[in-house]
Each structure stands twice: as C-alpha cells, then as structure tokens.
Amino acid sequence: VGDKVMVLARSGLWQEVVNVPVSQTFPMPEGMSFEEAAALLVNYITAYMILFDFGNLRPNQSVLIHMAAGGVGTAAIQLCKTVENVTIFGTASASKHESLKESGVTHPIDYRTMDYAEEVRKISPKGSVDVVLDPLGGSDTSKGFNLLKPMGKLITYGVANLLTGQKKNLVAMAKTWWNQFSINALQLLHHNKAVCGYHLGYMDEEFELVGGVVAKLVNLYNQGKIKPKIDSVWPFDQVADAMRQMQEKKNVGKVILVPEAPKEESKKEEN
C-alpha cells in the first residue's frame, strides 16, 4: 500500500481511479516522475520486444523506424543506441528531423516529400536493412518486406494507415485492407526473410515474459540509457486538444493525460 507503480492495462486508463491486477503493476524506479512512468511501459516494452526478441538486433546492423518521433519510435531509437554501431533510418515530417538527429537517427527521411524506400536504397550500402518496424500496415508492409536484407526481419505492430484524420475514413480503411501484405510459407522459403506480428494487448497472460522485459527496461533507465521523451502533458478536460496534437502529427515523443492541470499552470492562472 502506498507504493508508486507503473501499470499495464488494455484499456480504461483515462480515469482518475482504476483497478488492475497486481501482476500488471511494476514498482517505479527511484527518481522517476509519474509522467515518465505513464510514458514508459507500453512504448518501451513494445520497442524492446520488437527490436530484440523478434528483431534480434545486433551490432553493425541497420533498422528502419517509421513514425520515428512518436512514442514507440523514440523508445526504439534509444534502445537501438544501446547496441554498438546501429544505423537508424527514421521517417518523420521535416520539422522533426533536427530533434531526431540529436536523439541518434542516422538518416531522417521526410515521408511526405520523399519515397522512403528509394531513399533507403540510395543511402544503404546494399540498398536494404536488417530490421523494419512497421506500425503502418497496408502497402507499406510490402515496401518494408522488399527492403529487407537476406535474414532480415519485418515486425508489424499496427495499422496507422487506417487513420487519416479526425474521422473514420472508410475509403482509407478499404484501401489499406485491400493493399494489406500477404505471403505464404512457401514464398517465405525462397526469400530468406521473416515476418512477425506483435500486439502487447494480447500478452495479458504472459506475466513472466513481460515482467522480464520490464526488469531490463528499469535497469536501462537506472543506468541512464533510456528516458521517456514527453511531448506534452494535458489535463483530462483538454483531452480533445491532446488528441488533436497527435492527429495533426505535431508531437515529438509521448502525449500524456493527467487528471488535472500541472501545478505550475494552476499557479499562473491564479496570478
């Protein structure tokens, strides 16, 4: 009772009071803020398991990270930096490139004005990469698969292409579904490549597996090797603005919701 903890839950956390099983709670490291704790688990567990458990990332390899300025993207960049001499290609809009370079992205690519696959082929020695992190789905999964080196791995963990704005776009959904990458086991045999799927929400029962990853992440945090990047903090009554920040792709790092406005802002309002 009274311990500060980070929690994992598939949904229902945009509330002041929540109930979660004890197996989905983890003690917060000393010195970590609640905002950092909220930004850590989902993004860093996802990035860690994708890069190391599925991706088997090793020194001198190359990685393509889509949405590199988002929550999982920034976590993945920091984790790549814990491995020697990893080349990182990161897609993001041009305004975020400076910040990406500072955080360790070797080659930021503006997906809005360039074809990222062509850019990787131009820059990479063999025109390919060892690991592709794919949160996009649709035709981008095929593009990613074609960019893999022999023994390369593509890990798909989302379908961001379904979301094109504030409202559901049925045309975009149909197009993404139609263009969804499909390959059978026999075809894979000839490519010497791997395709993996990851969804942390369906790891509910894997307490030991997830707990082991959290222990490694806490260790990396305590060593100063990872630190959640927080874009902005919003009180619950500004949830629409917080969502807009993401929908308009303005965020670099994690958008955090808190029950009430941070104290500094409240003081300013009083003054």
Side-chain angles (χ1 to χ4, degrees), residues 74-91:
T74 51
I77 292 163
Q78 290 178 13
L79 289 167
C80 283
K81 300 296 288 173
T82 67
V83 180
E84 206 182 338
N85 197 29
V86 170
T87 302
I88 305 170
F89 295 88
T91 68

Side-chain angles (χ1 to χ4, degrees), residues 133-250:
L133 274 55
D134 170 38
L136 303 174
S139 57
D140 286 293
T141 310
S142 311
K143 280 172 83 169
F145 184 79
N146 291 328
L147 280 174
L148 289 176
K149 292 179 181 178
M151 301 304 290
K153 295 140 193 104
L154 177 137
I155 303 97
T156 185
Y157 66 98
V159 199
N161 282 335
L162 289 177
L163 301 173
T164 55
Q166 290 186 29
K167 293 185 179 149
K168 280 185 182 174
N169 183 331
L170 295 176
V171 175
M173 290 172 105
K175 191 177 170 191
T176 304
W177 181 258
W178 180 254
N179 289 327
Q180 188 54 48
F181 176 71
S182 180
I183 192 163
N184 66 41
L186 203 55
Q187 289 169 306
L188 273 177
L189 194 69
H190 302 295
H191 283 286
N192 290 310
K193 297 175 182 181
V195 180
C196 313
Y198 181 85
H199 193 310
L200 179 57
Y202 293 99
M203 291 274 192
D204 290 8
E205 302 302 312
E206 302 301 325
F207 310 127
E208 282 179 32
L209 184 61
V210 172
V213 174
V214 174
K216 287 172 187 161
L217 292 172
V218 166
N219 194 23
L220 288 170
Y221 177 86
N222 287 334
Q223 291 174 42
K225 290 186 176 175
I226 61 171
K227 186 172 177 65
K229 192 174 180 70
I230 295 177
D231 173 79
S232 48
V233 179
W234 306 76
F236 280 3
D237 57 10
Q238 289 178 29
V239 65
D241 299 322
M243 293 300 287
R244 205 169 293 116
Q245 177 82 351
M246 288 195 295
Q247 283 161 343
E248 293 174 4
K249 300 186 177 175
K250 289 179 179 169

Side-chain angles (χ1 to χ4, degrees), residues 52-74:
F52 299 121
D53 294 327
F54 271 147
N56 193 24
L57 183 65
R58 298 196 298 283
N60 307 314
Q61 289 191 326
S62 53
V63 182
L64 171 60
I65 301 174
H66 286 295
M67 295 163 66
V72 176
T74 51

Side-chain angles (χ1 to χ4, degrees), residues 11-155:
S11 62
L13 292 182
W14 294 10
Q15 303 180 109
E16 290 183 9
V17 180
V18 295
N19 244 334
V20 293
V22 68
S23 57
Q24 287 166 227
T25 65
F26 305 92
M28 280 168 57
E30 200 68 40
M32 179 182 269
S33 70
F34 283 119
E35 287 78 11
E36 281 186 328
L40 184 88
L41 288 186
V42 170
N43 292 149
Y44 282 81
I45 292 171
T46 298
Y48 188 97
M49 295 185 86
I50 285 173
L51 280 172
F52 299 121
D53 294 327
F54 271 147
N56 193 24
L57 183 65
R58 298 196 298 283
N60 307 314
Q61 289 191 326
S62 53
V63 182
L64 171 60
I65 301 174
H66 286 295
M67 295 163 66
V72 176
T74 51
I77 292 163
Q78 290 178 13
L79 289 167
C80 283
K81 300 296 288 173
T82 67
V83 180
E84 206 182 338
N85 197 29
V86 170
T87 302
I88 305 170
F89 295 88
T91 68
S93 47
S95 61
K96 300 175 183 178
H97 285 196
E98 241 0 88
S99 138
L100 287 179
K101 276 187 174 167
E102 282 167 23
S103 65
V105 173
T106 328
H107 304 290
I109 300 170
D110 183 0
Y111 65 95
R112 292 179 179 183
T113 58
M114 298 170 167
D115 179 333
Y116 65 83
E118 273 179 33
E119 290 303 303
V120 170
R121 288 196 178 97
K122 269 188 238 168
I123 300 165
S124 186
K126 291 183 178 174
S128 49
V129 293
D130 295 287
V131 182
V132 173
L133 274 55
D134 170 38
L136 303 174
S139 57
D140 286 293
T141 310
S142 311
K143 280 172 83 169
F145 184 79
N146 291 328
L147 280 174
L148 289 176
K149 292 179 181 178
M151 301 304 290
K153 295 140 193 104
L154 177 137
I155 303 97

